[in-house]
Amino acid sequence: MADSMISAFESSLDKTNLILKDIENAYGWPKERRNQSYAALRTVLHLLRDRLPVNESVEFAQQLPVLVRGIYFDGWVPSDVPIKLNRDDFLYEVRQGFPYDAEGGAERVTQVVLDTLRRHVTQGEWQDVKDTMPKDLATMMP
């Protein structure tokens, strides 16, 4: 039993590192900038989570690696969602939550993270998430 739990943890760690590496590769960041890729992922995940209705948020999270799911749900207050954010509000919040300078600013950070997440969930689930977004925000989603 203990071996399977360690294996599951290692698998989740590997998948989480792959997501972070995908973000880094999109920017050309070295692994030494892992704090930036983590901050980008965390910021966009929390905003996406808070914009989604509770049921859709939970369905989306089920497809994330366990460690990313923990990041996703950290600090979540289901009774406070969904928060109505349009594209400009979303980008403003990304700027507030991502304390680094990155090429392309908040819009590029958002697009890189959303594109990365899209590659790590099923097409059907991604479409469900996209369908819950206001039109101006959905246009940013791959």
Side-chain angles (χ1 to χ4, degrees):
M1 177 79 167
D3 287 341
S4 66
M5 290 182 79
I6 290 172
S7 178
F9 178 79
E10 287 174 350
S11 174
S12 180
L13 182 60
D14 289 345
K15 290 174 184 176
T16 301
N17 280 324
L18 181 60
I19 290 170
L20 294 170
K21 187 176 179 180
D22 285 352
I23 294 167
E24 292 159 2
N25 287 341
Y27 273 105
W29 292 341
K31 186 177 180 181
E32 291 75 34
R33 293 179 77 178
R34 181 62 46 103
N35 284 343
Q36 285 180 274
S37 56
Y38 170 76
L41 177 64
R42 186 177 194 282
T43 299
V44 174
L45 271 177
H46 282 188
L47 290 167
L48 186 62
R49 170 202 74 192
D50 291 346
R51 182 62 187 88
L52 292 170
V54 171
N55 288 343
E56 186 55 44
S57 189
V58 171
E59 288 174 15
F60 173 70
Q62 290 301 313
Q63 295 198 10
L64 300 173
V66 171
L67 290 177
V68 176
R69 199 176 315 145
I71 296 165
Y72 183 79
F73 284 123
D74 184 42
W76 190 44
V77 181
S79 62
D80 291 349
V81 299
I83 296 172
K84 302 298 182 191
L85 297 171
N86 62 28
R87 181 182 184 278
D88 291 339
D89 297 333
F90 197 96
L91 293 175
Y92 173 82
E93 294 298 333
V94 170
R95 282 190 294 278
Q96 298 306 303
F98 183 72
Y100 301 96
D101 288 328
E103 184 181 327
E107 187 166 352
R108 175 88 170 115
V109 168
T110 300
Q111 289 173 331
V112 164
V113 173
L114 292 175
D115 188 51
T116 298
L117 291 170
R118 179 195 52 81
R119 291 192 309 269
H120 291 275
V121 299
T122 65
Q123 182 178 2
E125 184 56 42
W126 189 253
Q127 191 60 50
D128 288 349
V129 168
K130 193 173 177 177
D131 289 346
T132 67
M133 296 293 137
K135 289 185 193 311
D136 66 337
L137 188 52
T139 62
M140 292 182 55
M141 300 181 75

